Amino acid sequence: MKREIIQTKDGSTTIHLPDWEESYHSKHGAIQEAYHVFIKHGLTLTEGKPISILEIGFGTGLNTFITFLEAEKINQSIDYVGIEAYPILLEEALKMNYVAQLGAIEQSEVFKAMHQTPWEDKQIISVNFSLTKRKQFIQDIADVDQFDLIYFDAFGFRVQPELWSIEIFKKMFAALKSGGILVTYACRSSIKKAMLDCGFMVEKLPGAPGKREMLRASKK
């Protein structure tokens, strides 16, 4: 499928799929969406404790890189697993302007390494951060009680409704430890119902710029 690199409204780049009219991140701002959804309403709730994170949709590596920067900033230990069925090319990743936009030039080699590391093997990125990339379809996830936090960043319901089904959220519920949370940019009533039907406690939160609401689900 054809992929184009475009600039979003906050100046950061993303990948656009013209055949689907879908982008990897919000056109209103890739970086600000990542911080709002996954850091502000996800990572910060872990209070700096050692945690494991599952990201659904490794994509351009933006969420991974931002989480790494946050871990370094507060000295938090994070074991990060990113799922991606269709990895982008290294040359595409290096055209993303995240390092400059985030003021993290000194960490440019880390961003590059995140895309160069082999799939399926855990890699030590820093003292605080390990990364395992798994080339895997979401439907094939079978983790049980492994993660404290899930970043659910799949393509939108409009283009891939099957990724927002009860069957998928049952897998997410199983993958989370007790007390774990899942955050996503989406807030469709059918998605909330699917989460509730799987046993999650679900709350609506203010969405990232350009979006009214988002969802956070908790496993008690």
Side-chain angles (χ1 to χ4, degrees):
M1 185 178 295
K2 183 180 179 181
R3 296 193 291 255
E4 302 174 337
I5 295 173
I6 64 170
Q7 184 170 302
T8 66
K9 288 185 178 179
D10 69 358
S12 57
T13 52
T14 190
I15 290 177
H16 180 65
L17 305 176
D19 292 342
W20 280 1
E21 295 185 359
E22 178 80 353
S23 297
Y24 280 49
H25 309 96
S26 170
K27 291 183 178 181
H28 296 280
I31 285 177
Q32 64 183 8
E33 178 188 50
Y35 269 109
H36 181 89
V37 176
F38 303 111
I39 305 302
K40 179 180 179 180
H41 292 299
L43 185 64
T44 57
L45 273 66
T46 66
E47 300 177 338
K49 300 174 184 176
I51 60 165
S52 55
I53 296 176
L54 173 65
E55 180 183 11
I56 303 301
F58 177 79
T60 65
L62 175 58
N63 296 332
T64 311
F65 188 56
I66 286 177
T67 302
F68 162 78
L69 295 177
E70 291 299 305
E72 294 297 289
K73 188 186 305 181
I74 65 174
N75 196 32
Q76 182 176 15
S77 178
I78 296 178
D79 183 15
Y80 198 102
V81 175
I83 304 295
E84 181 59 59
Y86 300 102
I88 68 171
L89 302 174
L90 176 62
E91 49 263 43
E92 291 176 303
L94 296 181
K95 290 178 181 177
M96 298 293 111
N97 66 356
Y98 305 143
V99 170
Q101 288 289 305
L102 291 164
I105 298 300
E106 71 282 0
Q107 302 289 6
S108 59
E109 288 303 310
V110 171
F111 180 73
K112 183 177 180 181
M114 286 177 170
H115 288 276
Q116 289 180 310
T117 55
W119 292 82
E120 317 306 332
D121 295 329
K122 180 181 286 191
Q123 303 294 316
I124 304 303
I125 303 298
S126 74
V127 172
N128 294 316
F129 197 91
S130 64
L131 171 63
T132 305
K133 297 185 302 183
R134 294 184 349 206
K135 191 174 180 181
Q136 183 180 36
F137 290 104
I138 300 172
Q139 294 88 335
D140 295 332
I141 292 173
D143 302 277
V144 176
D145 297 329
Q146 292 296 309
F147 301 102
D148 301 284
L149 175 60
I150 294 176
Y151 294 168
F152 200 88
D153 201 16
F155 285 129
F157 184 92
R158 179 182 61 83
V159 296
Q160 288 194 305
E162 69 276 10
L163 302 185
W164 302 87
S165 64
I166 292 175
E167 289 73 23
I168 295 299
F169 286 116
K170 282 181 178 178
K171 290 180 176 292
M172 299 300 101
F173 190 86
L176 280 173
K177 300 175 184 177
S178 178
I181 63 172
L182 177 153
V183 283
T184 185
Y185 64 87
C187 191
R188 183 181 286 251
S189 58
S190 62
I191 295 173
K192 181 180 178 182
K193 184 179 185 303
M195 291 176 172
L196 290 168
D197 288 346
C198 295
F200 280 111
M201 296 178 63
V202 185
E203 55 186 322
K204 289 183 179 181
L205 299 169
K211 297 184 179 180
R212 190 174 65 177
E213 295 173 315
M214 58 166 281
L215 293 175
R216 182 167 63 202
S218 304
K219 177 180 179 178
K220 299 302 181 182

